[in-house]
Amino acid sequence: MYSTAFLDLPPLVNAAGTVRLPGSKSISNRVLLLAGLAEGTTDVRDLLDSDDTRVMLAALEALGCRLQRNRASLLVTGIGGQLRTREAKLFLGNAGTAMRPLTAALAVLAATQGGAFELSGVPRMHERPIGDLVDALRQLGCPVADLAQPGFPPLRVGDGATHMLQTGAPIRVRGDVSSQFLTALLLALPLVTTDGPVTIEVDGELISKPYIDITLRLLARFGIDVQRDGYRRFVLPQGSAYRTPGRIHVEGDASSASYFVALGAIAATDKPVRIEGVGLDSIQGDIRFIDAAQAMGAQVKGGDGWLEVKRGAWPLKGITLNCNHIPDAAMTLAVMALYADGPTRLTDIASWRVKETDRIAAMATELRKLGATVEEGADFIEVQPLPAGAWRAASIHTYDDHRMAMCLSLAALNPLAGAGQPVPVRIEDPRCVAKTFPDYFEALFDLVQPLAGSVPVLTVDGPTASGKGTLASELAAKLGYHLLDSGALYRATALAAQDAGISLEDEASLAMMAAQLDLRFDGHRVLLGGRDITDPLRLESTGGMASRVSVHPAVRQALFQLQLSFRRLPGLVADGRDMGTVVFPSAELKVFLTASVEQRASRRLKQLLGKGVAATLDGLLADLRARDERDMLRSVAPCKPAEDAVLLDNSALSIDASVEQVLGWWQARRPF
Ligand SMILES: Nc1ncnc2c1ncn2[C@@H]1O[C@H](COP(=O)(O)OP(=O)(O)OP(=O)(O)O)[C@@H](O)[C@H]1O
Ligand SMILES: Nc1ccn([C@H]2C[C@H](O)[C@@H](COP(=O)(O)O)O2)c(=O)n1
């Protein structure tokens, strides 16, 4: 997962390969609540691991459910409809799929068994309406107190006392703001059917009906057979009781599939994008997104648990579509619309305005930043195609909304819109995808090809102990980029030579060995032929040997391709001696880092003593001078600033100040 302040996506031009989807958020949180309320233990497979499921799990644990995590599954032992805890404060983040059903379930349990629970979330959750559900619970006779603005969380349900509920008369609930209110009642009211059946009647036209279908199917799996009259009237039979189904499998998230369906439709020109975990047999309403994608031109094939998507019509075809049945996935259509031959109008999407953010306003604002013409209304959005040449590089604000981040990432495919200046796209706060798809960007990068030469590179060259490694790894962490410590390759070659008894002057043998290095970087550990060489790699003596090995042109040539292979999406920070001059001459920013030799020697001394390695200042000064001379005066790729490098003397700069300085230079070169 990328937890950086922003993530820059270079222009992308092709897509192919397979993505395995994380579990559906809607199914995961429903299953968790049902398992938590049921008698017995439920073995939940392929559960989504994300922010929204984590808050649900924390709530269940606080309520006395037992959770046992195994490698492939989560075992949930429920409370069997009996409160184990009578008071708790539950923080539910921005998870509507946790807030609404837990409010209803705890309201009826607290009222009938005596309890009091506070439910709160992030500030945006406190702006998301829940009044219609609260009204329905109050009709029943459940005490519900608004703790801030009436009709919005935070709420307190129950007052510690027991109450008789009015289950004899139908409970009325509005269906035209969020279908989650009805889902919440359907999940909660089986708990109070001891004295007779309980009826729910829906006022107004129910939106997002497919989500109710998911709720009903899952209720059936947990032993509740709801009788119904279409989507207007639902009857929970007397004596309903949750029974664990034993094992339950969570299918992949159909809303998350929409980004990869769109990716295939836009960019899979040769081989398809294959999506695993969700398919034509899906119980999720958002699977119908594929109909919309096909209407726009996508070629879609599928079976049970899989889909394959390729580009069909190109440009895509603009469509007008009522999106009431696919409210979440429909956002993806708004970005696909940029690649269409005419306007795309998405209607009946008023619910977008009360989601993680006001999604109609957010989508319109961000698409306009890219250069698009967008019209928005109370319950629609109309997006004009964005012709080649009209795209602008944009820094996309994501509003703490995972779907904004994932949808807008598709704008990086802009080179496919036609001849014109390709532009990168910046996604602000990429971590917001953690709500449903923590590894979304990693999955995207596995499938796409960047425009040739567009993966950004930042080089940091300089003499030994100037702080290159420290600076480069901080920069890579801040930008979410890969890191190449090129010195480590020379060091590993030197160690391998030592192990094999090869002389450091034997250029041909060294080069042959360097070309076959079995080197693996595993986090901070470095493995050579499976052996952990992390510690020996950093020895001063190894640095000295590396310096001698690196003077040989054939060795440098042997390591050249390996270094180039580190240039992968989304970008690279490379440190060494010749990164800016030889290996990445087209790097966007080249920094040449220096510090006085005295300063460098004293830093290295501190570093070594800190690791318990004996050293003296005089000895280090002599070693550094010798190494500087060899590295700077050798005939091939000497350590020197590239002509277009920026010099940074950090003798009097802290590490943080150096990082800020370089990030400032980097930002100045970005088009955002
Ligand atoms: N700006 C700075 N101010 C103070 N200390 C620093 C600064 N930058 C780096 N250091 C410290 O200097 C030491 C050497 O830094 P580092 O290992 O990053 O250098 P290097 O140039 O990568 O060395 P080498 O070429 O030997 O790999 C480390 O202990 C690091 O914490
Ligand atoms: N791009 C590079 C990186 C390193 N070397 C050589 C010269 C250094 O003295 C030695 C060890 O590097 P360090 O880990 O200290 O950065 O490797 C080089 O020639 N070119």
Side-chain angles (χ1 to χ4, degrees):
M1 183 168 64
Y2 288 88
S3 299
T4 46
F6 55 81
L7 181 62
D8 289 353
L9 309 180
L12 306 173
V13 289
N14 198 0
T18 301
V19 60
R20 175 98 207 154
L21 293 174
S24 152
K25 175 186 68 161
S26 307
I27 297 177
S28 292
N29 267 354
R30 281 171 176 79
V31 164
L32 285 178
L33 182 62
L34 289 166
L37 294 173
E39 179 92 53
T41 298
T42 307
D43 177 357
V44 186
R45 299 286 166 117
D46 294 330
L47 184 76
L48 171 66
D49 178 13
S50 76
D51 287 353
D52 279 14
T53 51
R54 246 170 264 136
V55 291
M56 177 63 100
L57 286 168
L60 293 183
E61 238 169 352
L63 294 171
C65 299
R66 203 155 75 91
L67 307 177
Q68 275 175 279
R69 289 176 185 81
N70 296 332
R71 214 166 53 82
S73 74
L74 175 77
L75 299 179
V76 181
T77 305
I79 60 172
Q82 295 302 313
L83 281 180
R84 304 273 163 90
T85 305
R86 295 194 183 268
E87 275 185 23
K89 289 187 179 180
L90 305 177
F91 175 78
L92 302 171
N94 199 6
T97 53
M99 176 61 80
R100 277 79 181 251
L102 274 168
T103 295
L106 290 176
V108 300
L109 288 174
T112 51
Q113 297 175 29
F117 300 92
E118 281 184 26
L119 299 98
S120 66
V122 298
R124 174 63 188 169
M125 178 56 93
H126 297 174
E127 295 170 0
R128 297 176 68 183
I130 197 166
D132 295 329
L133 176 61
V134 170
D135 289 347
L137 294 169
R138 286 181 180 147
Q139 279 172 55
L140 258 175
C142 297
V144 183
D146 301 301
L147 298 180
Q149 212 192 330
F152 298 85
L155 300 169
R156 181 171 47 244
V157 296
D159 56 9
T162 54
H163 299 262
M164 279 290 292
L165 297 188
Q166 312 298 313
T167 50
I171 315 301
R172 305 198 67 82
V173 65
R174 269 181 67 177
D176 54 355
V177 174
S178 167
S179 65
Q180 282 182 6
F181 303 150
L182 175 57
T183 279
L185 292 173
L186 286 167
L187 295 175
L189 296 184
L191 297 165
V192 287
T193 51
T194 324
D195 297 337
V198 179
T199 301
I200 306 167
E201 288 180 355
V202 179
D203 284 339
E205 181 63 21
L206 180 69
I207 62 168
S208 312
K209 294 185 179 76
Y211 285 107
I212 298 304
D213 295 336
I214 297 181
T215 305
L216 296 174
R217 275 173 182 262
L218 293 176
L219 280 166
R221 290 294 311 277
F222 279 83
I224 311 293
D225 182 21
V226 181
Q227 290 139 30
R228 58 191 278 215
D229 171 12
Y231 291 94
R232 304 217 66 81
R233 188 179 156 87
F234 300 83
V235 180
L236 300 157
Q238 180 172 11
S240 294
Y242 284 125
R243 284 193 314 273
T244 173
R247 179 183 294 182
I248 191 159
H249 165 81
V250 177
E251 66 177 57
D253 194 299
S255 315
S256 298
S258 73
Y259 314 113
F260 297 99
V261 171
L263 182 67
I266 298 167
T269 50
D270 179 18
K271 294 188 180 134
V273 168
R274 183 178 168 90
I275 300 160
E276 292 183 350
V278 70
L280 301 180
D281 58 333
S282 172
I283 64 167
Q284 298 166 73
D286 270 357
I287 193 65
R288 298 276 51 92
F289 174 83
I290 59 177
D291 303 336
Q294 281 172 313
M296 292 190 82
Q299 275 184 43
V300 183
K301 286 199 304 189
D304 288 0
W306 66 273
L307 299 168
E308 279 185 5
V309 188
K310 275 180 74 170
R311 187 195 271 186
W314 192 255
L316 296 174
K317 292 181 261 182
I319 55 169
T320 294
L321 186 71
N322 182 313
C323 296
N324 188 299
H325 61 306
I326 50 168
D328 287 345
M331 292 174 73
T332 311
L333 299 172
V335 185
M336 289 173 78
L338 300 176
Y339 301 95
D341 59 358
T344 292
R345 190 176 174 91
L346 309 176
T347 64
D348 210 353
I349 53 167
S351 66
W352 283 23
R353 294 216 181 263
V354 291
K355 296 285 180 139
E356 280 78 345
T357 185
D358 176 343
R359 286 177 166 168
I360 297 183
M363 185 61 79
T365 304
E366 302 310 311
L367 291 178
R368 286 181 190 128
K369 279 188 194 167
L370 289 161
T373 302
V374 183
E375 190 192 344
E376 62 165 298
D379 67 348
F380 77 90
I381 191 165
E382 183 167 310
V383 183
Q384 301 293 330
L386 192 44
W391 289 75
R392 291 198 297 260
S395 184
I396 301 296
H397 188 65
T398 48
Y399 308 82
D400 199 15
D401 185 346
H402 53 142
R403 299 205 188 286
M404 287 298 293
M406 294 189 277
C407 283
L408 270 298
S409 67
L410 298 169
L413 297 161
N414 62 80
L416 300 172
Q421 180 61 41
V423 294
V425 175
R426 172 168 288 182
I427 302 292
E428 297 172 11
D429 183 24
R431 196 203 168 279
C432 66
V433 300
K435 187 169 168 68
T436 48
F437 200 155
D439 292 333
Y440 170 74
F441 289 105
E442 288 84 344
L444 177 70
F445 295 153
D446 274 352
L447 297 178
V448 293
Q449 287 292 320
L451 182 70
S454 70
V455 173
V457 181
L458 192 168
T459 60
V460 183
D461 287 308
T464 299
S466 54
K468 300 179 304 297
T470 308
L471 176 63
S473 76
E474 287 282 319
L475 292 169
K478 294 255 187 231
L479 296 170
Y481 284 1
H482 298 280
L483 177 66
L484 167 59
D485 169 7
S486 60
L489 308 185
Y490 292 96
R491 286 173 183 254
T493 305
L495 282 180
Q498 192 181 40
D499 286 353
I502 295 174
S503 155
L504 299 185
E505 318 309 322
D506 182 352
E507 178 167 0
S509 304
L510 287 171
M512 203 184 307
M513 213 183 43
Q516 294 165 4
L517 271 190
D518 175 14
L519 199 59
R520 206 154 53 77
F521 293 88
D522 181 9
H524 286 294
R525 315 295 312 163
V526 186
L527 304 171
L528 178 64
R531 178 165 76 97
D532 189 336
I533 57 161
T534 316
D535 293 331
L537 200 69
R538 297 317 315 166
L539 292 174
E540 282 304 279
S541 54
T542 308
M545 291 196 302
S547 173
R548 289 170 59 195
V549 159
S550 69
V551 298
H552 302 302
V555 172
R556 305 198 73 82
Q557 188 54 40
L559 292 175
F560 189 72
Q561 282 302 330
L562 176 60
Q563 294 175 78
L564 291 186
S565 72
F566 280 75
R567 186 176 187 179
R568 295 194 306 272
L569 284 167
L572 175 67
V573 179
D575 97 70
R577 304 292 184 287
D578 60 343
M579 297 294 96
T581 49
V582 176
V583 184
F584 301 109
S586 63
E588 269 82 345
L589 175 62
K590 301 172 185 178
V591 177
F592 194 81
L593 189 66
T594 53
S596 67
V597 70
E598 292 77 14
Q599 186 66 262
R600 289 189 278 132
S602 91
R603 286 177 187 168
R604 181 58 32 102
L605 181 67
K606 209 164 131 197
Q607 193 178 23
L608 291 173
L609 295 180
K611 285 197 230 164
V613 178
T616 64
L617 192 59
D618 286 349
L620 283 169
L621 266 172
D623 283 354
L624 291 193
R625 286 196 173 110
R627 193 120 78 93
D628 283 356
E629 190 174 321
R630 195 180 311 110
D631 293 348
M632 289 174 175
L633 299 183
R634 68 185 176 216
S635 58
V636 191
C639 176
K640 65 171 188 185
E643 276 176 15
D644 50 350
V646 194
L647 303 187
L648 178 62
D649 186 328
N650 71 0
S651 303
L653 276 185
S654 69
I655 294 172
D656 285 351
S658 306
V659 171
E660 283 314 305
Q661 173 66 80
V662 178
L663 283 177
W665 288 332
W666 181 251
Q667 179 54 32
R669 281 166 164 72
R670 304 263 78 198
F672 307 111

